[in-house]
């Protein structure tokens, strides 16, 4: 899960922008083989839903899914919906391959409802111990940084030329469509080999005969 807060500042003298407290979260997921699942964007909407007329007007690329929640975070209901729509779809694509999902201890990931649903779908689960995501969470180890770097680049390019203002004189915030475009481009920019390497570095997909153990970066850490 990557959280982006839409804060707008150029200088201390800049007037506040309307909607400066708005934000959105994205859920990145990929397989050890390098396949990137569509990235899910969660916008903040009071009733947890994007108005149908607004959603219909959005151009949503194939590598993006758009949803909403009351606080702009992926809560337990959103996690359960994601599991059914995304992971179960992977299972339907090839039901001969066992599925193992690796999650951190974020509350919504660790809820009884999430665990029960994964068990119902026959998906094994491994939880990363608290404080260890920087060592054995593939997204944290190798994937999040290039994704966020690209998002920052796209944001900066837009913001450096952005001067559209509201009637009150505040800088106008980015639209949902602009955010969707940035997220899509940023996720597309993450190469599959980065994802494959991330799982190897975390010791998750390495060969069982030990021939790829030197790929796991945390072994050196524990051998000191």
């Amino acid at each position: 899960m990557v959280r982006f807060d839409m804060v707008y500042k150029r200088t201390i003298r800049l007037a506040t922008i309307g909607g400066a407290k708005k934000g959105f979260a994205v859920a990145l997921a990929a397989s050890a083989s390098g396949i990137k699942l569509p990235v899910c964007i969660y916008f903040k909407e009071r009733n947890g839903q994007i108005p149908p007329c607004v959603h219909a007007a959005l151009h949503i690329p194939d590598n993006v899914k758009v949803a909403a929640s009351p606080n702009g975070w992926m809560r337990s209901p959103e996690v359960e919906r994601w599991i059914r729509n995304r992971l179960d779809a992977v299972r339907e694509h090839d039901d001969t391959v066992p599925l193992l999902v690796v999650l951190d201890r974020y509350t919504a990931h660790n809820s009884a409802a999430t665990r029960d649903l994964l068990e119902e779908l026959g998906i094994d689960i491994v939880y990363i111990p608290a404080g260890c995501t920087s060592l054995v969470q593939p997204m944290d180890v190798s994937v999040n940084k290039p994704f966020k770097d690209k998002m920052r680049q796209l944001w900066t390019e837009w913001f450096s030329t952005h001067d559209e203002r509201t009637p009150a004189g505040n800088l106008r915030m980015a639209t949902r469509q602009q955010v969707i475009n940035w997220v899509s481009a940023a996720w597309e920019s993450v190469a599959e080999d980065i994802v494959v390497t991330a799982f190897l570095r975390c010791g998750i997909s390495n060969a069982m005969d030990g021939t790829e153990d030197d790929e796991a970066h945390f072994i050196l850490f524990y051998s000191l």
Side-chain angles (χ1 to χ4, degrees), residues 8 10 153-165 171-172 178 182:
Y8 296 66
R10 274 193 184 139
Q153 174 197 331
L154 295 169
W155 166 272
T156 302
E157 290 173 355
W158 170 80
F159 194 67
S160 64
T161 59
H162 175 62
D163 199 31
E164 186 179 354
R165 293 181 178 268
L171 284 173
R172 194 174 296 278
Q178 286 166 323
W182 293 336

Side-chain angles (χ1 to χ4, degrees), residues 2 4 24 28 36 63 142-159 178-191 194:
V2 182
F4 294 91
F24 60 95
L28 305 178
K36 297 181 294 181
N63 67 341
S142 298
V143 178
N144 284 351
K145 186 179 186 305
F147 175 80
K148 290 191 287 187
D149 285 348
K150 185 64 175 180
M151 283 288 293
R152 187 176 295 109
Q153 174 197 331
L154 295 169
W155 166 272
T156 302
E157 290 173 355
W158 170 80
F159 194 67
Q178 286 166 323
V179 169
I180 291 169
N181 294 344
W182 293 336
V183 170
S184 174
W187 193 220
E188 183 67 28
S189 72
V190 178
I194 290 178

Side-chain angles (χ1 to χ4, degrees), residues 193-206:
D193 64 321
I194 290 178
V195 177
V196 173
T197 301
F199 279 85
L200 290 171
R201 292 185 67 196
C202 293
I204 295 174
S205 59
N206 311 60

Side-chain angles (χ1 to χ4, degrees), residues 28-115:
L28 305 178
S31 72
S33 62
I35 297 174
K36 297 181 294 181
L37 300 184
V39 57
C40 295
I41 307 175
Y42 293 91
F43 290 106
K44 183 178 180 179
E45 292 288 345
R46 182 172 299 178
N47 65 353
Q49 292 184 333
I50 297 175
C53 59
V54 174
H55 195 285
L58 296 173
H59 171 67
I60 303 175
D62 291 340
N63 67 341
V64 171
K65 300 296 179 183
V66 175
S69 70
N71 61 0
W73 286 88
M74 194 178 187
R75 308 166 307 154
S76 184
E78 286 76 41
V79 170
E80 294 166 40
R81 195 174 301 116
W82 181 86
I83 290 171
R84 288 195 181 277
N85 294 340
R86 302 276 77 79
L87 292 187
D88 204 24
V90 173
R91 165 61 54 80
E92 289 177 0
H93 179 70
D94 186 352
D95 60 6
T96 64
V97 178
L99 291 183
L100 170 71
V101 60
V102 181
L103 297 173
D104 58 26
R105 287 285 182 175
Y106 174 54
T107 304
H109 294 165
N110 197 30
S111 68
T114 297
R115 296 194 302 270

